Amino acid sequence: MDYLGKDIPKLGFGLMRLPMLGKEVDIEQTKTMVDQFLAAGFTYFDTAYGYIGGKSEEAVKTALVDRYPREKFQLATKLPAWAGAKNAEEARQMFYTSLRRTGAGYFDFYLLHNCGGDRTKAFDDYGMWDFVLEQRAKGLIRHVGFSMHDKPEALDEILTLHPEMEFVQLQINYADWDSPTVQSGKCFEVAKKHGKPVIIMEPVKGGLLANPPESVAEVLRKGNPDASFASWALRYAASLDHVITVLSGMSNVEQMTDNLATMSAFRPLEPSERQVIAKAKEAFDQIPGIPCTGCRYCTKGCPQEIAIPDIFDAMNRRLIFGSLDIAKHGYMWATQGGSAASDCIECGQCESVCPQHIGIISELKRVAATLE
């Protein structure tokens, strides 16, 4: 079945984690990675207004736009109206800033960045849904969509209100597919219900699946001792249907080389390989973490309005994957504009309604001591 982006090669270059020299992008290594990517037949590049403080979009101009014909690649960027814009004019100016930084002339795919939660309100208040359609009519945007990290109900609501959006970008990987907090699988099904193709982000879960816990790694090694851990994650994502491309945030030439080796000769997962992934998921489930199912009963009466399930999801990145930096990054997002774990007043309301009987108060103290 035809769909938007069907013919785009299924590996996209995510430009959020570019190689750095101190505080500056390592442009020469980035050029090498761009050259390898295009030479292997891949064409989709993904950046955003806020990546590396705007330096990602500037690197796009230097490493890609100034060096290759515009028709040889697709370029996507994103607009975060909720990130500091005080009015509609400032939000719209982000679009023109991205055009200037990249020098691209137009964007093949343009996204309203990270919809969901309180962030969607900024796009509504500033009229950004209509604004991107106006830019599409002018030829400055080819295709309009949005990205989000939220629940399937929120995705369903946005796609119902905005059927004019042509695609959606979602966090999808095998560790999060059945996750009660991320709910990748359910979000994917909502996109399919609305007939929207999907760009997949975080297929390797921010790099965590490239270095999984040993119990998971053992399962994957038995499945194929010659396959990298990252290749399992990329192939899982790329094997889904109605996918425009799968973004990999590659940070060095070695990662680029590994991903190209996997995706240049891409083949969907075989049934036997799907069984390996299922066993890997089971191994993840056996690793002790905070057993939160994301039901959110705890948040409904919380006087401090603490996003407890989201905070616990961030903490599990530390407990399950052992990554403090990625856990702290997740915690930053979970508490952005809201209460911290340390804001808990120990009223006990949350514990009284938790179906999993989690010691939420003590867990929040552990989170505060670890991630704040």
Side-chain angles (χ1 to χ4, degrees):
M1 183 182 296
D2 288 336
Y3 62 91
L4 171 64
K6 177 184 178 183
D7 295 328
I8 292 176
K10 299 312 172 196
L11 177 65
F13 188 173
L15 300 157
M16 183 172 68
R17 302 181 180 93
L18 290 174
M20 304 293 291
L21 292 173
K23 295 183 178 180
E24 301 300 321
V25 174
D26 183 345
I27 287 294
E28 292 308 312
Q29 187 171 182
T30 301
K31 287 180 179 178
T32 299
M33 294 167 71
V34 166
D35 293 346
Q36 289 182 339
F37 188 76
L38 288 168
F42 296 97
T43 58
Y44 191 100
F45 294 82
D46 171 89
T47 183
Y49 175 88
Y51 286 176
I52 322 179
K55 293 177 182 178
S56 174
E57 288 187 332
E58 293 171 354
V60 165
K61 183 178 190 303
T62 304
L64 175 65
V65 174
D66 288 349
R67 301 172 63 238
Y68 286 94
R70 184 63 183 86
E71 68 273 11
K72 296 296 184 180
F73 58 88
Q74 297 92 30
L75 179 62
T77 195
K78 314 178 195 72
L79 186 153
W82 42 267
K86 301 180 183 65
N87 51 53
E89 180 55 34
E90 290 186 6
R92 294 176 181 188
Q93 187 57 45
M94 292 178 175
F95 170 77
Y96 299 112
T97 297
S98 292
L99 274 180
R100 174 182 56 78
R101 284 176 181 164
T102 62
Y106 64 90
F107 297 113
D108 300 273
F109 291 80
Y110 195 76
L111 298 86
L112 300 182
H113 194 179
N114 199 9
C115 294
D118 294 336
R119 296 176 299 278
T120 303
K121 187 175 186 296
F123 299 112
D124 297 340
D125 291 349
Y126 299 154
M128 300 310 296
W129 305 98
D130 289 335
F131 174 75
V132 294
L133 294 178
E134 292 166 5
Q135 305 315 305
R136 186 179 67 179
K138 294 176 183 178
L140 298 177
I141 295 172
R142 297 286 173 85
H143 302 290
V144 295
F146 62 94
S147 66
M148 69 173 294
H149 296 269
D150 207 334
K151 303 300 180 286
E153 296 80 10
L155 177 60
D156 188 53
E157 180 179 5
I158 292 175
L159 288 175
T160 299
L161 291 172
H162 298 286
E164 71 278 9
M165 294 293 105
E166 299 175 84
F167 65 95
V168 62
Q169 184 164 309
L170 299 173
Q171 175 176 328
I172 295 176
N173 57 70
Y174 69 82
D176 289 329
W177 187 259
D178 297 312
S179 162
T181 49
V182 181
Q183 299 185 54
S184 287
K186 290 182 179 179
C187 287
F188 186 75
E189 291 304 318
V190 168
K192 286 180 64 175
K193 182 184 78 171
H194 286 269
K196 306 300 180 184
V198 173
I199 294 169
I200 292 179
M201 58 181 163
E202 304 291 355
V204 195
K205 199 172 173 65
L208 291 173
L209 298 181
N211 186 28
E214 181 55 34
S215 59
V216 177
E218 183 178 358
V219 171
L220 298 177
R221 286 193 201 99
K222 287 182 178 178
N224 184 348
D226 297 323
S228 71
F229 300 133
S231 72
W232 283 100
L234 284 175
R235 290 181 60 220
Y236 175 88
S239 295
L240 297 169
D241 56 358
H242 289 84
V243 167
I244 294 173
T245 197
V246 176
L247 302 176
S248 180
M250 294 169 275
S251 302
N252 53 54
V253 169
E254 290 73 23
Q255 291 175 5
M256 174 66 75
T257 301
D258 181 65
N259 286 354
L260 292 179
T262 299
M263 298 301 289
S264 293
F266 170 70
R267 56 183 180 81
L269 291 176
E270 302 287 345
S272 60
E273 293 174 314
R274 293 185 181 278
Q275 291 178 5
V276 172
I277 292 291
K279 291 179 181 177
K281 290 181 183 180
E282 291 175 1
F284 267 120
D285 292 340
Q286 298 303 311
I287 301 172
I290 303 173
C292 175
T293 64
C295 70
R296 311 194 87 82
Y297 293 159
C298 58
T299 64
K300 294 176 183 177
C302 176
Q304 300 297 88
E305 298 184 346
I306 300 172
I308 297 168
D310 303 314
I311 287 172
F312 286 173
D313 181 59
M315 184 63 175
N316 278 336
R317 301 180 193 188
R318 172 62 171 167
L319 298 175
I320 296 173
F321 292 95
S323 176
L324 182 59
D325 289 343
I326 293 178
K328 285 187 172 182
H329 181 76
Y331 181 73
M332 176 194 72
W333 278 107
T335 57
Q336 188 174 51
S339 298
S342 57
D343 290 325
C344 173
I345 60 174
E346 302 184 30
C347 68
Q349 181 278 335
C350 54
E351 294 188 356
S352 70
V353 297
C354 177
Q356 308 305 316
H357 307 292
I358 298 169
I360 295 175
I361 294 171
S362 62
E363 290 292 2
L364 286 175
K365 289 180 180 179
R366 180 163 65 145
V367 171
T370 306
L371 302 183
E372 290 184 7

